[in-house]
Amino acid sequence: MTTVPGSALGLDAEPLAGYIGATITGVDLRENLDDVVIAEIRQALHQYKVIFFRDQQIGHAEQVAFARRFGKVTPAHPHEENPPEGFPEILPIDSRRYEQNLGRKRTSYDNSWHTDVTALVNPPAASILRSDILPPYGGDTTWTNLVAAYENLPKELRDFADTLDIKHQFNTQATAGSQRERKVAEANLAAYHPAVRVHPVTGERALFVSPGFTRGPREIRGFSPTQSERILALLWEEATRTEYTVRFRWQPGSVAFWDNRATSHLAVSDAGHLGHERVLYRVTLEGDIPRGVDGRESELVSGQPFYGS
Ligand code: SIN
């Protein structure tokens, strides 16, 4: 995990932590990048799970164009009604919006550990997040490597986790009567996912437990709510152990690109109480339906799959 892959084209990766994360240098995301560079970025993404670019001067159009090189780009979010004009793929993560929708000042829409939109039967394969307005300090984001979390479990626990299916759904914290509350209820997204998913490209197994989407009502197929709660608490703790994480300090022009099939992330909520604003823009790539170690697929409970173009 810590070797820096060489690059024929000057693309370098500087690892940032022992299990996850690297800064990529030697690439300008404004450019129409060569297919070989795109393949190397993809390889770095799979190796490091989240990769970072600094000092990029891109706007919405370049962000979407860059994302398209890696797959189909989804609409902004199943609950998003107001993407920036002309850019239906862009999800603003904008602290200025949250007071109204979520009832309190906060810097990201979800300040719990989660993998993006795992209430969908086909959660996004990857996400690309770009900074715009940043607090003077605070407002970092942290990612965890779910493959390391799985691989370092005792074998007996890995074997047990391999068999579990967990219900993922939105647990809205929205203000009663808000537009967000209505959208969450309308879309009614829920799916059962294997607790251990096999990455379709690398073949690695990841502990796919997305705390923000599995926290309530807790449901593991075949277990009571109390049993589910206790098993999930154990798996969440393993998935988010500090040693599997990397914490990223945003700067103007920063871009983070993460593999949603092998990571969870957490927006650190330490800037909202100071009254600082924080605005970032996210795009997501269409995802496949997860598969467990025995090949079983996730199951749609309610709502619709989420496709890109
Ligand atoms: C996200 O959950 O996609 C956004 C993370 C952040 O606000 O840092």
Side-chain angles (χ1 to χ4, degrees):
M1 287 292 292
T2 53
T3 46
V4 180
S7 161
L9 294 155
L11 188 79
D12 270 318
E14 183 193 344
L16 292 175
Y19 280 106
I20 183 171
T23 304
I24 304 295
T25 54
V27 58
D28 181 342
L29 302 187
R30 285 174 304 189
E31 288 175 7
N32 183 20
L33 297 169
D34 192 275
D35 287 347
V36 179
V37 178
I38 294 295
E40 289 187 355
I41 293 174
R42 194 191 298 274
Q43 183 191 323
L45 178 69
H46 290 147
Q47 178 166 355
Y48 293 106
K49 318 303 187 210
V50 56
I51 52 178
F52 305 106
F53 304 87
R54 294 287 193 190
D55 303 319
Q56 300 294 327
Q57 289 163 18
I58 60 169
H60 296 330
E62 291 87 357
Q63 185 176 359
V64 173
F66 175 63
R68 280 202 198 292
R69 301 296 302 279
F70 297 90
K72 290 184 179 171
V73 177
T74 69
H77 188 281
H79 301 150
E80 177 59 41
E81 284 187 328
N82 296 306
E85 205 180 329
F87 295 98
E89 309 89 346
I90 296 276
L91 176 70
I93 293 176
D94 184 337
S95 58
R96 297 167 300 189
R97 292 172 149 203
Y98 297 134
E99 209 154 357
Q100 189 188 359
N101 273 335
L102 301 171
R104 62 196 172 284
K105 191 103 185 148
R106 58 196 291 169
T107 45
S108 193
Y109 67 98
D110 186 344
N111 294 123
S112 64
W113 281 104
H114 65 279
T115 300
D116 285 328
V117 212
T118 59
L120 287 165
V121 72
N122 65 331
S127 304
I128 300 174
L129 187 62
R130 168 174 65 92
S131 62
D132 183 6
I133 299 171
L134 295 171
Y137 43 85
D140 297 353
T141 308
T142 303
W143 284 262
T144 188
N145 180 341
L146 299 177
V147 173
Y150 176 78
E151 288 178 351
N152 288 324
L153 291 176
K155 180 177 182 323
E156 290 72 13
L157 196 44
R158 288 201 305 268
D159 291 348
F160 175 59
D162 287 349
T163 66
L164 304 176
D165 292 300
I166 306 174
K167 191 171 178 186
H168 295 233
Q169 59 205 314
F170 268 91
N171 303 293
T172 181
Q173 304 158 41
T175 307
S178 67
Q179 184 192 61
R180 182 175 165 84
E181 190 196 51
R182 180 178 55 74
K183 281 297 289 183
V184 172
E186 259 174 32
N188 193 22
L189 298 175
Y192 274 104
H193 295 299
V196 179
R197 76 175 289 186
V198 180
H199 195 288
V201 179
T202 65
E204 292 174 313
R205 296 179 177 190
L207 193 56
F208 198 60
V209 293
S210 198
F213 288 96
T214 56
R215 69 181 163 224
R218 293 167 179 84
E219 203 180 310
I220 300 181
R221 186 177 271 141
F223 290 86
S224 72
T226 307
Q227 290 163 343
S228 298
E229 182 173 337
R230 292 186 180 158
I231 296 167
L232 278 167
L234 169 68
L235 299 179
W236 292 340
E237 193 177 326
E238 291 297 328
T240 58
R241 283 167 66 141
T242 312
E243 60 265 42
Y244 305 141
T245 68
V246 63
R247 180 166 173 154
F248 185 62
R249 165 65 51 89
W250 294 96
Q251 293 169 352
S254 297
V255 174
F257 186 178
W258 64 92
D259 187 341
N260 210 44
R261 303 181 283 202
T263 59
S264 282
H265 54 277
L266 169 80
V268 179
S269 57
D270 64 349
H273 71 291
L274 300 170
H276 295 145
E277 303 296 3
R278 179 177 184 269
V279 181
L280 303 101
Y281 297 105
R282 192 181 85 189
V283 295
T284 45
L285 299 178
E286 181 183 302
D288 49 316
I289 295 182
R291 283 183 181 274
V293 301
D294 55 0
R296 73 187 186 283
E297 285 194 336
S298 298
E299 285 171 34
L300 184 130
V301 175
S302 55
Q304 299 295 323
F306 198 48
Y307 296 120
S309 56

